[in-house]
Structures are given as structure tokens and as C-alpha cells.
């Protein structure tokens, strides 16, 4: 997240964060929900701990990952609220609010 804010500071076009302070805070809240709330529950360190500490097998660990990924994406959608004009979370351009979603989507739909 810090690198996106840095890039926005040194090269403000295209904007990666909204210009309006309230919209910037909203964009940060969406990004933080993804990278600080949902993502830490499915990283390899946590998955390995589930196996070692609780004896979880591969199926249980995958179920855990899918559950928390689905919860995280559902929470993101609730926070996002009504769709806005444009193809991205907060409008016509990609930015901070959508930057962490590709990793979440990959976890939700792993390759066979």
C-alpha cells in the first residue's frame, strides 16, 4: 500500500488515490480490509500452522482458505456498496481500492 501512495505522490496522473480526502480514506479502508483483514488468514505461514498445531490436512486447509477468502470478498462488496460509474471500484481508473483484489480472486478460484 505504501508504494501506491508513494507513486501517487510523485506522479499524480493517473490518480491512484482519489483527490477528495473522504474518498481517499474510503479507498484506504477498502484496500486495508483486503490486505490486513482477510489476506493474513490464508498466507502459507498460517496454513502451515494449521497443519502443525491442529493436524489439519490439505482438504481442511483448503476449506479454511476458501472460507476466509469468500468472507473477505463479501466484506469488500458490502463496504463497496452501490456500484459507481466506471469499470473499477471507485470509478473509471484502477487505484488503491482495487490493487489487492487480484490476489484475493486468485485464492478464491485456484487453478485446477
Amino acid at each position: 500500500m505504501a508504494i501506491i501512495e508513494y507513486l501517487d505522490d510523485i506522479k499524480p496522473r493517473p490518480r491512484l488515490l482519489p483527490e477528495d480526502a473522504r474518498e481517499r480514506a474510503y479507498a484506504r479502508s477498502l484496500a486495508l480490509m483486503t490486505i490486513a483483514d482477510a489476506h493474513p488468514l490464508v498466507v502459507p505461514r498460517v496454513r502451515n500452522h494449521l497443519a502443525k498445531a491442529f493436524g489439519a490436512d490439505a482438504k481442511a486447509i483448503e476449506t479454511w482458505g476458501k472460507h476466509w477468502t469468500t468472507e473477505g470478498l463479501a466484506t469488500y462488496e458490502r463496504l463497496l456498496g452501490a456500484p459507481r460509474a466506471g469499470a473499477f471500484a471507485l470509478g473509471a481508473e484502477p487505484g488503491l481500492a482495487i490493487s489487492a483484489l487480484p490476489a484475493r480472486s486468485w485464492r478464491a478460484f485456484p487453478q485446477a
Side-chain angles (χ1 to χ4, degrees):
M1 195 162 121
I3 190 67
I4 290 175
E5 293 203 32
Y6 170 74
L7 291 171
D8 202 57
D9 287 343
I10 65 167
K11 190 170 180 2
R13 295 286 179 249
R15 297 287 314 186
L16 298 173
L17 285 154
E19 290 189 52
D20 177 72
R22 184 174 290 202
E23 288 293 301
R24 271 195 315 276
Y26 181 49
R28 285 183 183 111
S29 74
L30 288 169
L32 282 170
M33 192 291 309
T34 304
I35 64 175
D37 185 48
H39 179 69
L41 295 170
V42 297
V43 297
R45 180 175 45 89
V46 170
R47 296 165 79 86
N48 291 336
H49 181 71
L50 291 170
K52 289 178 186 170
F54 305 108
D57 63 11
K59 181 165 176 39
I61 292 170
E62 190 61 32
T63 300
W64 165 276
K66 285 182 180 182
H67 170 79
W68 290 114
T69 298
T70 301
E71 285 291 315
L73 291 170
T75 300
Y76 187 95
E77 281 189 343
R78 281 191 303 275
L79 287 174
L80 189 57
R84 296 176 179 221
F88 298 97
L90 298 181
E93 299 291 329
L96 178 67
I98 199 163
S99 64
L101 284 180
R104 305 298 331 129
S105 300
W106 178 82
R107 285 283 334 133
F109 307 104
Q111 302 298 314

